[in-house]
Amino acid sequence: MDATEQNHLPKKKKSETEDDKRRKKIVPGSLLKALVRPGGGGESSPVDGDQVIYHCTVRTLDGVVVESTRSECGGRGLPIRDVLGKSKMILGLLEGIPTMHKGEIAMFKMKPEMHYVEKDCPVSAPEIFPKDDELHFEIELLDFAKAKIAIDDLGVVKKILNEGEGWESPREPYEVKVRISAITGDGKVILSPKEEPYFFTFGKSEVPKGLEMGIGTMARKEKAVIYVRKQYLTESPLMHIAQDLEEVHFEVELVHFIQVRDMLGDGRLIKRRIQDGRGEFPMDCPLQDSRLSVHYKGMLLNEEKTVFYDSRIENNDQPLEFSSGEGLVPEGFEMCTRLMLPGEIALVTCPPDYAYDKFPRPPGVPAGAHVQWEIELLGFETPKDWTGLDFQSIMNEAENIRSTGNRLFKEGKFELAKAKYEKVLREFNHVNPQDDEEGKVFGDTRNVLHLNVAACLLKMGEWRKSVETCNKVLEAKPGHVKGLYRRGMAYMAGGEYEDARNDFNTMIKVDKSSESDATAALLKLKQKEQEAESKARKQFKGLFDKKPGEITEVGSEIREESKTIEEKNETKDDGGEIQEEEEEEKTRTVVGTERKRKWTEKAWPIMKNVMVQIGIQLGVALLGVLIFQFVSSRFT
């Protein structure tokens, strides 16, 4: 589309702001401007989003000073800072200041409705202020510039002097080097610039709070003035804050910062960049599953920093190559390499549960050891783009990823397995089968992937999400036997026994060949119901023998035990779609065992009736003997 076409497109209507509504109420003649001194800073004027710095002196029409920011007029000498469109201002200044140039002095004659008598005025008049009078406001516009607001109350505002490089900004716990000088709001120097940059760790209160907030909006090598008001001027090793300081203007150059990331948020897994890489963070990082090439050195966190592996030495200078997302390296190692740029070197400090506690330990690494890796990311290759591939090639790629997911599932790495299945499902959103045969293959594969995701969710204790995932299959194909089976198992894990029974019974109606699986599932369901009933009996046993206070205690115990039962149930599942052979073997075993018990179940009602009849007859005979003995004793 060329520029001419763009000009003819309808422009998006800008939403009306509260200030716009206020401006509509201005009556002609209520605000008059007289130029006292023209500006010398060019022809530009401030607009919404600009910070304006100005002196203001208010006088009555006969020249009596009401209030002023100027020291020669009884003020403190501290100019006003406002951000147009953000600060609360009287209507006359909101309308008048945008007509001024830098360095200009102007006199605004305002009727009461243009200052504090305005119905919707967002600011209150000072005490003993003649708000019902027509007044003169003398304004000197000292400066204006585009503002970066660090906090909504405008207590920290930044003015950029020189743009920086890139867009990454420091944050906790980055290590930062800056050059800083500072003056008060009225221009007194309180911190002189030094030759050597000041070094501090972000988030450690080593600079005033407001200054740190402003630096947190800066890019590398940026220069800026950061305006900080009193409420954000906190004590720090950098400088002492006097009690009477209303605001400080910091001039800052962000020389450099070292990216330090708390990967878990608890200080246990820390990645510290010690050499910058190539590109922009994080766009040029291997965030997605990729083929990575790294050199690394592993060390124990002891006094000697014992090296237990160095790929440059022990692997003949050959790098380690691995595919991320497949559980081939320790979890902490992979998490950090995903956030590295090509050419970057990082120092990673890792706790045992993200290092080698859940991964084969190299020789020399004791159990429970904290380790440190020095990692250099040489490069990475992103996965093959499916765009332009024919249908069969796409299905081959999908099968490769699904197979990796199945391996991860069997290794107990359910989250990683789930991520693999979901990756293929996302790619499938852009696949369009061309005929019925391709459509059937595509649909069947998608159903298998959904059921595998459901199996992972069930293993992860997310039985409700597992049910929702199964529903995607059953909505497309209501009689899908494996979908019914998987959903039934999810319902059973969540204690929804009736829903589970319905799904297993539906399996038999839909497909007679699934009867053995459904029967085994129903038997398992019956067993779970009996276990739950038994638990309930134990919980309520003796409940009604308790006193009221004791009943409350028993109720609490019941709730706790019920919660434990539910948690246990949520973690139980069979292999289903992914472990088909294992499940079939379980089914055969359960069904065989059940057949052996069938004769006792059939015989028991008959035996029970016989025993009841014998018991009744013995009871009658015993009662007759007792009556006979009683009558005989009365007549003898």
Side-chain angles (χ1 to χ4, degrees):
M1 183 182 293
D2 58 27
T4 307
E5 290 175 327
Q6 287 181 343
N7 290 335
H8 286 87
L9 289 175
K11 292 184 178 179
K12 189 176 181 181
K13 190 175 180 181
K14 188 178 177 182
S15 58
E16 190 175 46
T17 65
E18 290 300 317
D19 287 343
D20 292 332
K21 295 176 183 177
R22 293 172 65 200
R23 287 189 179 101
K24 285 183 176 181
K25 299 176 183 178
I26 297 176
V27 176
S30 60
L31 176 65
L32 302 175
K33 174 185 175 182
L35 183 63
V36 177
R37 185 187 74 189
E43 294 301 315
S44 60
S45 297
V47 296
D48 278 2
D50 286 351
Q51 175 179 257
V52 291
I53 304 175
Y54 59 96
H55 273 300
C56 177
T57 301
V58 183
R59 295 183 177 91
T60 62
L61 296 188
D62 55 5
V64 177
V65 174
V66 177
E67 65 174 10
S68 179
T69 57
R70 296 182 181 277
S71 54
E72 61 268 28
C73 295
R76 300 181 59 183
L78 188 67
I80 298 170
R81 282 192 308 105
D82 282 322
V83 178
L84 295 179
K86 296 290 184 181
S87 297
K88 296 177 180 180
M89 302 172 67
I90 61 171
L91 183 54
L93 296 183
L94 184 68
E95 182 73 4
I97 288 178
T99 68
M100 300 179 70
H101 304 300
K102 183 177 178 179
E104 178 182 325
I105 299 177
M107 185 72 76
F108 293 96
K109 185 179 180 181
M110 300 186 196
K111 290 188 179 296
E113 61 267 25
M114 292 304 293
H115 50 81
Y116 297 103
V117 175
E118 181 202 0
K119 182 181 178 182
D120 298 318
C121 184
V123 289
S124 302
E127 292 183 14
I128 320 175
F129 189 92
K131 64 179 184 179
D132 295 321
D133 294 349
E134 192 171 358
L135 299 170
H136 283 152
F137 285 74
E138 182 186 278
I139 305 297
E140 180 183 4
L141 184 58
L142 302 174
D143 191 21
F144 67 89
K146 188 62 67 180
K148 171 68 178 180
I149 299 168
I151 191 162
D152 290 341
D153 66 3
L154 308 181
V156 182
V157 176
K158 182 186 76 171
K159 169 189 171 184
I160 297 175
L161 301 178
N162 292 328
E163 295 284 351
E165 298 176 355
W167 67 274
E168 186 182 6
S169 299
R171 65 180 192 179
E172 187 177 347
Y174 282 27
E175 296 168 359
V176 183
K177 283 185 181 180
V178 288
R179 287 192 175 90
I180 307 173
S181 61
I183 60 174
T184 61
D186 55 1
K188 295 176 183 177
V189 176
I190 55 174
L191 183 65
S192 300
K194 295 180 180 178
E195 187 66 28
E196 288 298 317
Y198 182 73
F199 176 87
F200 73 97
T201 301
F202 214 89
K204 298 292 186 181
S205 302
E206 294 172 1
V207 296
K209 180 180 178 181
L211 174 59
E212 184 173 84
M213 292 170 68
I215 292 174
T217 68
M218 297 178 70
R220 191 180 274 106
K221 297 187 179 179
E222 179 182 327
K223 290 184 180 179
V225 177
I226 299 172
Y227 302 86
V228 181
R229 287 185 175 150
K230 184 174 183 177
Q231 64 267 36
Y232 297 103
L233 290 172
T234 55
E235 288 287 340
S236 69
L238 175 67
M239 60 187 298
H240 169 68
I241 303 297
Q243 291 294 321
D244 59 346
L245 274 179
E246 288 297 323
E247 75 173 34
V248 175
H249 303 170
F250 295 94
E251 187 168 319
V252 181
E253 177 187 359
L254 181 51
V255 179
H256 185 63
F257 58 81
I258 297 173
Q259 188 194 74
V260 182
R261 302 188 74 86
D262 185 348
M263 303 296 294
L264 302 174
D266 57 9
R268 296 190 306 131
L269 177 58
I270 301 294
K271 171 187 174 286
R272 182 177 184 272
R273 182 189 290 169
I274 56 178
Q275 177 179 297
D276 289 337
R278 302 181 299 275
E280 286 290 335
F281 178 87
M283 290 82 74
D284 297 317
C285 297
L287 299 174
Q288 306 301 320
D289 291 351
S290 306
R291 183 74 179 172
L292 293 89
S293 177
V294 302
H295 269 304
Y296 78 99
K297 180 165 64 175
M299 296 159 281
L300 298 178
L301 281 180
N302 53 20
E303 291 183 6
E304 298 80 16
K305 290 289 182 75
T306 305
V307 176
F308 59 82
Y309 186 83
D310 188 334
S311 61
R312 295 187 184 277
I313 297 173
E314 300 186 44
N315 202 32
N316 297 321
D317 206 33
Q318 294 297 309
L320 168 68
E321 294 188 350
F322 67 96
S323 296
S324 56
E326 297 188 8
L328 300 175
V329 295
E331 187 174 357
F333 190 101
E334 180 170 320
M335 287 173 66
C336 293
T337 52
R338 282 179 180 265
L339 293 178
M340 293 178 69
L341 292 166
E344 178 183 334
I345 299 177
L347 197 63
V348 175
T349 304
C350 186
D353 52 328
Y354 281 81
Y356 296 111
D357 272 11
K358 302 175 183 178
F359 203 82
R361 289 198 307 277
V365 178
H370 288 71
V371 299
Q372 195 170 72
W373 295 298
E374 183 181 296
I375 306 171
E376 179 181 1
L377 178 60
L378 303 176
F380 65 91
E381 294 179 4
T382 54
K384 184 186 294 184
D385 187 358
W386 289 13
T387 305
L389 294 181
D390 60 46
F391 181 78
Q392 189 55 51
S393 299
I394 289 173
M395 299 311 294
N396 290 341
E397 290 292 323
E399 180 57 27
N400 290 337
I401 298 173
R402 188 174 75 90
S403 297
T404 301
N406 291 356
R407 173 179 63 80
L408 292 167
F409 185 94
K410 291 175 183 177
E411 292 173 1
K413 300 172 182 176
F414 305 120
E415 290 190 20
L416 290 176
K418 174 173 160 287
K420 291 295 182 186
Y421 303 136
E422 289 177 335
K423 173 182 171 61
V424 180
L425 286 168
R426 285 194 300 273
E427 294 289 349
F428 272 14
N429 290 330
H430 309 290
V431 177
N432 296 306
Q434 298 301 306
D435 54 43
D436 291 345
E437 185 178 349
E438 288 185 358
K440 184 178 185 308
V441 172
F442 178 77
D444 290 345
T445 304
R446 185 169 54 186
N447 287 339
V448 168
L449 289 164
H450 278 309
L451 294 179
N452 285 359
V453 170
C456 293
L457 288 167
L458 200 50
K459 289 291 188 182
M460 293 159 62
E462 300 279 358
W463 70 268
R464 288 185 178 87
K465 289 183 179 179
S466 182
V467 168
E468 292 170 4
T469 306
C470 293
N471 286 341
K472 294 177 182 179
V473 175
L474 293 167
E475 284 168 6
K477 190 175 180 181
H480 196 287
V481 172
K482 291 183 179 179
L484 290 165
Y485 178 82
R486 175 66 56 220
R487 189 173 69 177
M489 298 304 290
Y491 277 136
M492 183 161 55
E496 302 290 342
Y497 299 131
E498 195 58 39
D499 288 331
R501 183 177 291 103
N502 289 338
D503 278 347
F504 297 143
N505 285 329
T506 304
M507 283 174 62
I508 300 172
K509 294 177 184 176
V510 169
D511 185 355
K512 287 292 183 182
S513 66
S514 68
E515 186 171 357
S516 59
D517 289 341
T519 302
L522 287 166
L523 291 173
K524 185 176 180 181
L525 175 64
K526 184 177 180 181
Q527 181 184 355
K528 278 189 171 289
E529 287 181 303
Q530 289 172 345
E531 289 173 0
E533 187 179 345
S534 176
K535 291 284 185 182
R537 281 200 217 98
K538 288 179 181 178
Q539 288 165 359
F540 287 100
K541 185 179 180 181
L543 177 62
F544 298 103
D545 297 331
K546 305 283 183 181
K547 296 177 182 178
E550 293 173 326
I551 290 174
T552 303
E553 294 174 6
V554 171
S556 300
E557 293 173 4
I558 290 168
R559 284 191 294 273
E560 286 299 316
E561 191 167 351
S562 298
K563 184 179 178 183
T564 304
I565 293 167
E566 183 177 350
E567 289 172 352
K568 287 181 180 177
N569 286 345
E570 286 183 349
T571 59
K572 293 180 181 178
D573 183 36
D574 47 57
E577 187 73 5
I578 299 168
Q579 296 177 335
E580 194 71 35
E581 294 179 4
E582 179 184 342
E583 182 56 35
E584 287 177 0
E585 182 61 32
K586 287 181 182 177
T587 301
R588 286 193 292 270
T589 303
V590 172
V591 172
T593 305
E594 183 61 19
R595 284 172 179 167
K596 293 177 182 178
R597 292 202 302 262
K598 278 187 176 178
W599 71 270
T600 55
E601 290 186 357
K602 291 179 179 178
W604 170 244
I606 299 170
M607 294 170 61
K608 184 171 69 173
N609 289 334
V610 171
M611 296 298 291
V612 169
Q613 292 298 323
I614 293 172
I616 291 172
Q617 292 177 16
L618 286 173
V620 170
L622 180 60
L623 181 62
V625 170
L626 290 172
I627 292 171
F628 177 77
Q629 290 178 348
F630 175 76
V631 172
S632 299
S633 64
R634 296 285 293 177
F635 290 98
T636 56

